[in-house]
Amino acid sequence: MTLPGLGFTLDRSYAATPERVWAQWTDPELLASWFCPNPDLPTTCDLDVRPGGAWRVVMGEWAVGGRYVEVSPVTRLVFTFDWEHDDDPPTTVTVEITRDGDRTRLMLAHEETGADGGHEEGWTLSLARLDQRLD
């Protein structure tokens, strides 16, 4: 769902435990396996998953990173998101993971202004790769 001027929210449900979903976001090898929208690009991740810790993902010639703002294992991860190739200000991503019966629900909200747009397509493609790993 697109939020005019505010960003967007994506909602997913997985036949996996919250711990398994959390690991996909906090283990560098697991994150590298799905984070890049283009599966043909080599992807590496450096993660320091703690409040104030840095994260960085290199996808071919592209790199994005930021800082963790909030880390609440196994339920919530908030981080800044900043492409290294542009001068746009960092945006904020919130990932919420909740148990939903025998499934786990993931909500991703990416706050951005109109000038920052374009992240929804990338997240949709990346989450489709995550969907394949978890269902």
Side-chain angles (χ1 to χ4, degrees):
M1 170 174 65
T2 301
L3 306 171
L6 299 175
F8 58 90
T9 301
L10 300 173
D11 186 359
R12 298 290 188 274
S13 177
Y14 300 111
T17 65
E19 292 79 9
R20 187 166 170 229
V21 175
W22 176 262
Q24 295 292 322
W25 289 89
T26 58
D27 179 303
E29 288 182 29
L30 294 175
L31 187 67
S33 71
W34 65 267
F35 187 87
C36 181
N38 182 346
D40 296 330
L41 292 178
T43 302
T44 59
C45 299
D46 291 309
L47 310 177
D48 181 8
V49 186
R50 61 181 175 85
W55 70 274
R56 185 171 188 256
V57 177
V58 177
M59 301 165 280
E61 64 185 62
W62 307 100
V64 64
R67 297 250 171 223
Y68 292 100
V69 176
E70 184 180 337
V71 178
S72 299
V74 183
T75 60
R76 186 173 166 91
L77 199 58
V78 180
F79 52 91
T80 60
F81 188 98
D82 192 13
W83 288 104
E84 293 181 5
H85 67 275
D86 67 31
D87 293 330
D88 290 344
T91 55
T92 302
V93 176
T94 301
V95 176
E96 294 185 348
I97 299 168
T98 55
R99 186 173 298 281
D100 187 15
D102 61 349
R103 298 184 63 83
T104 296
R105 184 175 185 192
L106 180 137
M107 294 282 294
L108 180 145
H110 194 141
E111 298 173 21
E112 57 184 10
T113 65
D116 303 315
H119 294 116
E120 187 170 5
E121 180 181 4
W123 278 120
T124 298
L125 292 169
S126 293
L127 289 181
R129 294 184 67 201
L130 177 61
D131 296 348
Q132 293 173 352
R133 295 187 55 80
L134 290 173
D135 267 344

